[in-house]
Amino acid sequence: MKSIIAFIFLFFCVFLANTSIANTGVFYGSGNQVIPIKNDQIQLVREKVDIKLSVDQNSGRFGVPFIPWANVTAKFYLKNTTNDTVTLQMGFPFLDLQGFGDEKYVLENLNFKVVSGGREIKTEIKEGLIEKEFDPRGLFKKVFAWQDEFKSAEAKEVVVTYRMLMGVSSANSIFRNFDEQGRKFRAIDKLFPAISYNFGYITKTAYTWAGSIEEAVFQLDCADFYRELERQNFIAELGDKAPHFSRPTFWETTHPDSAKKNNEIYQWAFKGSVPEEGLSVSFMVLFLPSLPAEVNEYFSTSLSRLENIKPDEFKSVLKAYYQNIAFDKQPSDSFAQSYFKEVGLVKMPKVFISDKDRKNLEEIANNFDVLIKK
């Protein structure tokens, strides 16, 4: 039997700078910048990174319906700030998975390529190249390394392309105490599984170049991913434990939230500096009905799956979920207040992927007591 929450790897969320809720899942890596090794002469003048999410057939692994690829094309505009010819060892850090992902699978499918000044350059994987001051936690043990030469005052473009699977995590796993209240809350938790698709881009390595970066633009194309979210039957993945509704709740969050969205494309633009904590995007699938007509049946069938939970207690939690998701409203009921103290999921900023979802969820939150028929 398939289970969307039966993940067997711990999610190593280095790149999720603004969230702390994702704690189990499958992690493959983060996008990164090229870095110079021992450099005070070459400046990273501009950077243009395009990331397109795509869904290949058979990319689903570990019980989830699908895992998208992040296809990255990163263009770095570099300049020799000296009048001398500079030969520089450069590298692309590969985030060490440390047992928390399928490293062999990642490397086989990375399709990593470097083109410098219009000429493809051969790379090799090396270890121990990055100084501790740039990697104090020892996360980047492996580096795709190559030699590049810059003539006097030369400026040229280095293009790096690769692809990585997004990370997938169980986004609503909660540690509860083993007392009576904790057991009661755990019984409710089981009715609200959630998964999160995550991808991050590490930007801190921009500060290893000479001088400061003048401009950096990052663009994320989500079009194929959105279409796949609409196409997939997430409910069916729960097998015989599937709840009684057809459409779960979808939302997304980006960091930093300065990203501008045009249709299905996000764009971050920076001048003079980039965020040291990096960029990240998370797409949430919460197994909570998003259609008003399905809320009452979900409520009534859920009660039969709960032990030692009073209908009014579960009702207060369900209502609080909708009010929080739709309007970022905190619960006023004492039982729901206690329940949500440990639920990090509701603390996330939320932008609905679909406008129809936003309208439907606002309708549910505004009319919850009318929709629930006793």
Side-chain angles (χ1 to χ4, degrees):
M1 180 185 69
K2 293 181 180 179
S3 173
I4 217 162
I5 57 173
F7 299 118
I8 57 175
F9 288 107
L10 178 68
F11 178 59
F12 188 51
C13 52
V14 170
F15 56 81
L16 295 180
N18 63 327
T19 66
S20 59
I21 60 167
N23 55 12
T24 59
V26 182
F27 177 70
Y28 287 98
S30 288
N32 212 329
Q33 296 168 308
V34 294
I35 63 169
I37 311 297
K38 305 277 190 186
N39 167 68
D40 58 5
Q41 300 160 309
I42 307 300
Q43 178 189 5
L44 173 58
V45 180
R46 298 189 311 279
E47 177 178 9
K48 176 70 167 64
V49 179
D50 290 297
I51 305 166
K52 181 175 177 57
L53 303 183
S54 66
V55 181
D56 298 348
Q57 284 216 297
N58 304 316
S59 67
R61 295 164 65 83
F62 303 108
V64 292
F66 69 101
I67 302 179
W69 293 95
N71 304 274
V72 181
T73 299
K75 297 179 180 179
F76 304 95
Y77 301 89
L78 304 171
K79 181 181 179 180
N80 184 354
T81 61
T82 75
N83 293 321
D84 301 319
T85 296
V86 176
T87 300
L88 186 67
Q89 180 165 256
M90 298 170 60
F92 173 88
F94 178 80
L95 184 60
D96 184 26
L97 301 185
Q98 301 183 26
F100 298 114
D102 190 340
E103 184 174 287
K104 183 174 183 290
Y105 184 84
V106 173
L107 292 174
E108 287 177 350
N109 290 276
L110 197 63
N111 296 341
F112 185 80
K113 185 169 73 171
V114 176
V115 175
S116 177
R119 180 176 62 89
E120 186 170 351
I121 294 181
K122 182 180 179 180
T123 65
E124 58 181 323
I125 298 179
K126 293 185 177 182
E127 297 189 25
L129 292 181
I130 302 179
E131 295 182 14
K132 190 172 182 179
E133 65 175 298
F134 298 126
D135 183 24
R137 290 188 288 175
L139 299 176
F140 302 105
K141 292 184 172 61
K142 297 181 177 68
V143 177
F144 284 90
W146 65 94
Q147 295 282 337
D148 210 337
E149 182 178 274
F150 294 80
K151 294 182 172 56
S152 171
E154 180 184 12
K156 65 179 173 180
E157 178 187 79
V158 174
V159 181
V160 177
T161 56
Y162 57 93
R163 69 173 191 162
M164 276 185 164
L165 284 173
M166 294 182 73
V168 185
S169 62
S170 173
N172 210 16
S173 298
I174 307 165
F175 177 79
R176 300 289 191 181
N177 292 326
F178 292 95
D179 55 13
E180 181 179 352
Q181 185 186 66
R183 291 195 299 273
K184 180 179 284 193
F185 287 170
R186 281 204 308 276
I188 298 175
D189 294 341
K190 292 177 182 178
L191 294 182
F192 298 102
I195 61 174
S196 174
Y197 289 96
N198 313 286
F199 187 75
Y201 195 88
I202 298 167
T203 55
K204 189 173 182 178
T205 47
Y207 297 98
T208 59
W209 296 90
S212 59
I213 190 169
E214 295 178 5
E215 181 182 48
V217 177
F218 303 86
Q219 185 165 284
L220 175 69
D221 185 340
C222 306
D224 290 349
F225 178 66
Y226 289 157
R227 280 191 282 273
E228 192 66 20
L229 282 179
E230 293 289 341
R231 191 184 73 81
Q232 287 286 344
N233 187 346
F234 283 89
I235 305 299
E237 290 294 320
L238 291 174
D240 57 7
K241 293 183 179 180
H244 293 258
F245 62 89
S246 59
R247 181 179 176 81
T249 298
F250 301 107
W251 78 76
E252 59 192 344
T253 180
T254 60
H255 179 80
D257 60 8
S258 59
K260 306 295 183 184
K261 190 174 185 181
N262 183 12
N263 293 324
E264 297 164 319
I265 298 176
Y266 275 107
Q267 186 180 91
W268 292 265
F270 307 98
K271 290 187 179 297
S273 64
V274 293
E276 288 199 34
E277 68 275 18
L279 312 175
S280 66
V281 59
S282 297
F283 302 93
M284 310 301 301
V285 183
L286 174 62
F287 289 83
L288 185 71
S290 62
L291 300 178
E294 297 182 335
V295 173
N296 187 61
E297 184 181 2
Y298 171 76
F299 173 73
S300 59
T301 56
S302 295
L303 289 178
S304 65
R305 299 169 59 192
L306 292 169
E307 296 180 4
N308 303 318
I309 306 293
K310 297 176 183 178
D312 284 345
E313 291 174 331
F314 179 64
K315 183 179 178 181
S316 71
V317 169
L318 185 60
K319 182 177 182 178
Y321 260 114
Y322 281 116
Q323 291 184 335
N324 176 272
I325 294 168
F327 301 115
D328 197 27
K329 183 179 178 181
Q330 299 304 308
S332 55
D333 173 84
S334 60
F335 183 83
Q337 285 178 344
S338 298
Y339 173 82
F340 280 102
K341 280 182 180 178
E342 304 299 327
V343 182
L345 184 71
V346 299
K347 298 178 176 63
M348 290 185 67
K350 303 169 189 68
V351 175
F352 296 108
I353 293 173
S354 166
D355 189 55
K356 67 181 178 182
D357 283 343
R358 178 185 60 79
K359 292 178 180 178
N360 285 333
L361 288 160
E362 288 178 355
E363 180 182 343
I364 295 171
N366 283 326
N367 301 285
F368 182 84
D369 292 322
V370 176
L371 293 170
I372 300 296
K373 304 177 183 66
K374 292 191 176 181

